[in-house]
Amino acid sequence: MAPDFSFVIDAREGDARVGKLTTAHGAIETPAFMPVATYGAVRGVSAEELRAAGAQILLANTYHLEERPGSEVIAGQAGLHGFTGWRGPWLTDSGGYQVTSLAGRSRLDEDGVTFESSLDGRRQRLTPETAIQIQERLGSDIAMVLDECRPNGSDAAASAGLRAAAERTLRWAERSARARRRGDQAVFGIVQGGTDSAVRRANARGLAALGFEGYAHGGLGLGEEPVQRVDLVAATNEVLPAAAPRYLMGIGYPPDLVDAIAAGIDLFDCVIPTRHARHGVLFTREGVLKLRNARFKQDAAPPDPGCDCATCAQHSRAYIHHLLRVNDTLGARLASIHNLRFYFRLLEEVRAAIHAGTFGALREKVRLVPVR
Amino acid sequence: MAPDFSFVIDAREGDARVGKLTTAHGAIETPAFMPVATYGAVRGVSAEELRAAGAQILLANTYHLEERPGSEVIAGQAGLHGFTGWRGPWLTDSGGYQVTSLAGRSRLDEDGVTFESSLDGRRQRLTPETAIQIQERLGSDIAMVLDECRPNGSDAAASAGLRAAAERTLRWAERSARARRRGDQAVFGIVQGGTDSAVRRANARGLAALGFEGYAHGGLGLGEEPVQRVDLVAATNEVLPAAAPRYLMGIGYPPDLVDAIAAGIDLFDCVIPTRHARHGVLFTREGVLKLRNARFKQDAAPPDPGCDCATCAQHSRAYIHHLLRVNDTLGARLASIHNLRFYFRLLEEVRAAIHAGTFGALREKVRLVPVR
């Protein structure tokens, strides 16, 4: 369906794998991390800065972009690649996650979901078909099917709800596959089923039968224990097509990433590096620095002395502390560049380690670093 | 007193002049515009972006920097040049303007002024001597004397108050001159006297007798008519040393700049380009664009098709409109880069025009462009 799209696995270590994902707008070395650019930009950070830090692909959001500025506007400017400053690959999330994150403002039925805008009360209707159509107008390289993403719960009613949501997600995936028109856009299916491994595996088998270009694990990072999440991912990956890319949605901290890579994940997205940066929390290999803390007021060291990012090359902890304290947005920007570089560099090291057969040791090292 | 400092006038057209101001951290071609970096950064914009746009010197604020992070902290990081990302020339304003701008939180006496912090109620005392000492710790290339800046008024009491403020500013200037210790920092005196030309001229003569490296026109842009301001500046310049640089503080729109240059001004600072940018107001040679306006939602043109800035080279009005609407700070940043480049380019053209003897015609053209 998408002849521009391919995925080649170059090396393996256990279930971990290094590969190359080729899209209509460029190739991505996997495992890869996708910065979140909800509205078509990573808050405060330019495309050149993202590229210099090592970004390969960005993630934008269908629901939010349809609300502002609208997919018609973006289509009129040659899609996301023409509208924004990022000319490389784009992945668009479908809006299914907003069923959970905007729970009070969404109403779901078998045909689709209706959102009420928090801006002006305007209603927005998403169905499996319109979600694909919007993403085709946005022109992303990888589109996601509309899924029903529900918060996890442990009682019987929650279980039944999660099973029903997974079944509906599968019916929606089938409709999504039929709705596709663009030959230059890959579409990924999304596995749901909460924390019930059997439901997730059944869901994955159903999606695999539909033949998407890739598969995502959805509905995780919503309260389950990290250990349980890794088990669910591993069990589900067993029944997904081994040759297709696998994407763990919305996860996570560096230890979560290496654990998921060990279970066979190829793609990630997460707001953590950029959101933490805006709050002044910077990642280093020794743990996080909370740069708003008064103890950094006179600290002339770079945020992470071992880091090769543009921020660490030029600025001290004291200066970023000061910018954060006086609410100059340059502070959040410098911190975002560092945190993204930290994530990209981690994945560069992961890829090199899998090639070298040393990923197991790297994983143990990364897991020891405190993230709070 | 400051052997690293010099000012050479290269060309004149009427009272307008082109010159070169040399400081301990680099030379500045005048007439020049100084972006406002109150807390040591131009909000959201990096030093590299400022340099690429054509910035030559930045302005920071003594009062605000002493409040956060404190001049001792900055001194401990090799001054403003070491603490911030900007290694070129710095000018520091003295805090005298805050006597007006923070009127409700400042109390003035013959010895100095006491401010009460809006952050924590802490008191900060500025005297002519401490203002110089703080600026010496900040390490700026050009320091400003502490002045008494008062709002203009037309009644007799206001007049008497402005005369008294000008006289006190002169007494303070004398104390400032005696307090200087650094040989690598120039100090500029500040003319006060409101809209009374005779008072301003007397004040200027008194300052000139003290022998500063440069002279500033203070207390303007506070309600007087632009035409009156130009007359005051011209009348005062007649009695200031012709060989010293002249700085018009806090002014203004492009037409205000060319009018002041025609009256012999060499240096400007103003928040207008950056503050307007943050509100989505962009300067062009045809007038301002209010990019938050709905009519720009689908406008694929660059903000100013004739502009050579990094923003206009890469982004559409529609994209900046969108970023401003979704409150992504990248929008304010891209707009700030454009507006600063607009100001720097205007001054590049002014300098070339004075060399060529065509400044009069350029001035008339710039004066015709609407600024609101």
Side-chain angles (χ1 to χ4, degrees):
Chain A
M1 186 77 194
D4 293 332
F5 186 88
S6 69
F7 183 56
V8 177
I9 296 170
D10 296 322
R12 295 173 194 275
E13 179 179 336
D15 290 328
R17 56 217 213 153
V18 167
K20 190 172 194 175
L21 191 64
T22 302
T23 76
H25 289 86
I28 298 136
E29 313 222 18
T30 65
F33 179 82
M34 302 184 280
V36 176
T38 303
Y39 283 105
V42 175
R43 290 192 171 281
V45 183
S46 72
E48 297 76 52
E49 285 163 337
L50 292 168
R51 201 170 294 116
Q56 306 183 82
I57 173 171
L58 305 189
L59 175 143
N61 184 278
T62 298
Y63 164 75
H64 288 292
L65 282 175
E66 186 64 355
E67 193 174 30
R68 289 185 293 183
S71 57
E72 297 286 3
V73 168
I74 294 176
Q77 316 247 345
L80 282 167
H81 305 88
F83 181 62
T84 73
W86 180 260
R87 316 280 181 239
W90 280 97
L91 180 145
T92 40
D93 194 5
S94 62
Y97 181 69
Q98 278 65 46
V99 176
T100 289
S101 67
L102 308 177
R105 300 196 277 111
S106 68
R107 229 186 39 242
L108 198 112
D109 56 56
E110 177 57 24
D111 184 52
V113 53
T114 303
F115 295 97
E116 191 178 301
S117 168
S118 65
L119 300 171
D120 55 10
R122 218 174 28 161
R123 294 215 170 137
Q124 190 189 130
R125 178 77 177 163
L126 271 185
T127 66
E129 291 80 10
T130 62
I132 290 293
Q133 286 152 12
I134 293 169
Q135 291 176 88
E136 292 195 340
R137 283 196 293 270
L138 295 174
S140 52
D141 300 278
I142 303 174
M144 303 301 297
V145 299
L146 186 66
D147 58 331
E148 182 181 346
C149 179
R150 292 174 67 116
N152 292 319
S154 51
D155 61 6
S159 256
L162 286 163
R163 179 183 299 264
E167 288 166 358
R168 178 176 282 158
T169 293
L170 188 54
R171 291 193 296 276
W172 284 4
E174 202 172 342
R175 288 166 55 189
S176 304
R178 279 201 305 270
R180 299 174 64 175
R181 294 293 173 270
R182 275 188 91 133
D184 57 352
Q185 184 180 59
V187 177
F188 283 15
I190 305 179
V191 176
Q192 290 290 350
T195 53
D196 187 325
S197 188
V199 174
R200 294 193 80 92
R201 283 164 65 102
N203 202 235
R205 282 196 190 91
L207 290 170
L210 294 170
F212 292 100
E213 283 89 352
Y215 300 88
H217 301 261
L220 297 176
L222 296 173
E224 78 284 352
E225 286 297 316
V227 167
Q228 187 185 16
R229 182 194 314 142
V230 174
D231 289 345
L232 290 165
V233 166
T236 306
N237 278 344
E238 287 172 8
V239 299
L240 285 172
R246 301 156 180 164
Y247 162 27
L248 177 54
M249 304 182 80
I251 305 295
Y253 284 101
D256 302 322
L257 266 60
V258 292
D259 283 348
I261 289 165
I265 292 296
D266 308 298
L267 285 170
F268 299 91
D269 79 283
C270 194
V271 295
I272 284 176
T274 42
R275 182 179 287 165
H276 275 44
R278 293 196 297 273
H279 295 141
V281 180
L282 277 77
F283 287 91
T284 81
R285 285 301 167 87
E286 276 72 51
V288 295
L289 299 180
K290 294 174 180 160
L291 280 192
R292 291 185 67 95
N293 194 299
R295 75 188 175 92
F296 295 112
K297 188 171 175 179
Q298 309 202 42
D299 190 335
D304 184 354
C307 178
D308 62 358
C309 81
T311 300
C312 288
Q314 296 174 72
H315 300 290
S316 65
R317 295 169 179 177
Y319 186 52
I320 299 170
H321 165 88
H322 168 64
L323 292 173
L324 293 165
R325 286 293 189 105
V326 301
N327 296 319
D328 190 314
T329 55
L330 183 58
R333 170 182 165 192
L334 295 176
S336 294
I337 290 169
H338 168 75
N339 276 358
L340 286 172
R341 177 68 194 140
F342 181 88
Y343 268 64
F344 298 142
R345 201 153 70 116
L346 172 65
L347 290 171
E348 287 170 12
E349 287 179 42
V350 163
R351 295 193 295 264
I354 296 171
H355 272 296
T358 58
F359 170 63
L362 174 62
R363 178 187 175 196
E364 290 313 311
K365 208 173 74 182
V366 172
R367 294 180 75 191
L368 291 175
V369 178
V371 294
R372 269 165 246 267
Chain B
M1 186 74 193
D4 293 332
F5 187 88
S6 68
F7 183 56
V8 177
I9 296 170
D10 296 323
R12 295 173 194 273
E13 179 178 336
D15 290 328
R17 54 217 214 153
V18 167
K20 189 171 195 176
L21 192 63
T22 303
T23 76
H25 289 85
I28 298 135
E29 312 220 20
T30 65
F33 179 81
M34 302 184 280
V36 177
T38 303
Y39 283 105
V42 175
R43 289 192 172 283
V45 183
S46 72
E48 297 76 52
E49 285 164 336
L50 291 167
R51 201 170 295 115
Q56 307 184 81
I57 173 171
L58 305 189
L59 175 143
N61 184 277
T62 298
Y63 165 75
H64 289 292
L65 282 175
E66 185 66 356
E67 194 174 29
R68 289 184 294 180
S71 57
E72 297 286 1
V73 168
I74 293 177
Q77 316 247 346
L80 281 166
H81 306 87
F83 181 62
T84 73
W86 179 260
R87 315 280 181 238
W90 279 98
L91 180 145
T92 40
D93 193 6
S94 62
Y97 180 68
Q98 278 65 45
V99 176
T100 289
S101 67
L102 309 177
R105 300 196 278 109
S106 68
R107 232 187 35 244
L108 198 113
D109 56 56
E110 176 57 25
D111 184 52
V113 53
T114 302
F115 295 98
E116 192 177 301
S117 168
S118 65
L119 300 171
D120 55 11
R122 218 176 26 161
R123 294 211 169 141
Q124 191 190 129
R125 177 78 179 163
L126 272 184
T127 67
E129 292 80 9
T130 62
I132 290 292
Q133 286 151 12
I134 293 168
Q135 291 177 89
E136 292 196 340
R137 283 196 293 271
L138 296 174
S140 52
D141 299 279
I142 304 174
M144 303 301 297
V145 298
L146 186 66
D147 58 330
E148 182 180 348
C149 179
R150 292 173 70 116
N152 292 318
S154 52
D155 62 6
S159 259
L162 285 164
R163 178 184 296 267
E167 288 166 359
R168 179 177 281 158
T169 293
L170 188 55
R171 291 193 295 275
W172 284 5
E174 201 171 343
R175 287 167 56 188
S176 304
R178 279 201 305 269
R180 299 173 63 174
R181 295 291 174 272
R182 276 187 90 133
D184 57 352
Q185 184 180 58
V187 178
F188 283 15
I190 305 179
V191 176
Q192 290 290 351
T195 53
D196 187 324
S197 188
V199 174
R200 293 191 80 91
R201 283 164 66 101
N203 202 235
R205 282 196 189 90
L207 290 170
L210 293 171
F212 291 100
E213 284 90 350
Y215 299 89
H217 300 261
L220 297 175
L222 297 173
E224 78 284 351
E225 287 296 317
V227 167
Q228 186 183 20
R229 183 194 314 142
V230 175
D231 289 344
L232 289 166
V233 166
T236 306
N237 278 345
E238 287 173 9
V239 299
L240 285 172
R246 300 158 180 163
Y247 162 28
L248 177 54
M249 304 182 82
I251 305 294
Y253 283 101
D256 302 322
L257 266 58
V258 292
D259 283 347
I261 289 166
I265 292 296
D266 308 298
L267 285 170
F268 298 90
D269 79 284
C270 194
V271 295
I272 283 175
T274 43
R275 182 179 289 165
H276 275 44
R278 292 195 298 274
H279 294 141
V281 180
L282 277 77
F283 287 91
T284 81
R285 283 301 166 88
E286 277 73 50
V288 294
L289 299 180
K290 293 174 181 161
L291 280 192
R292 292 186 67 95
N293 193 301
R295 74 188 176 92
F296 295 112
K297 189 172 175 178
Q298 309 202 43
D299 190 335
D304 183 356
C307 178
D308 62 357
C309 82
T311 299
C312 288
Q314 294 173 75
H315 300 290
S316 65
R317 294 169 179 177
Y319 186 53
I320 299 171
H321 165 87
H322 169 65
L323 293 172
L324 293 165
R325 286 292 189 106
V326 300
N327 296 318
D328 190 316
T329 55
L330 182 58
R333 171 182 164 191
L334 295 176
S336 294
I337 290 169
H338 169 74
N339 276 357
L340 287 172
R341 178 68 194 139
F342 182 87
Y343 268 65
F344 298 142
R345 201 152 72 116
L346 172 65
L347 290 171
E348 287 169 12
E349 287 180 42
V350 163
R351 295 192 296 264
I354 296 172
H355 272 295
T358 58
F359 171 64
L362 174 62
R363 177 186 175 196
E364 290 314 311
K365 208 174 73 182
V366 172
R367 292 180 76 189
L368 291 176
V369 178
V371 294
R372 268 166 248 266

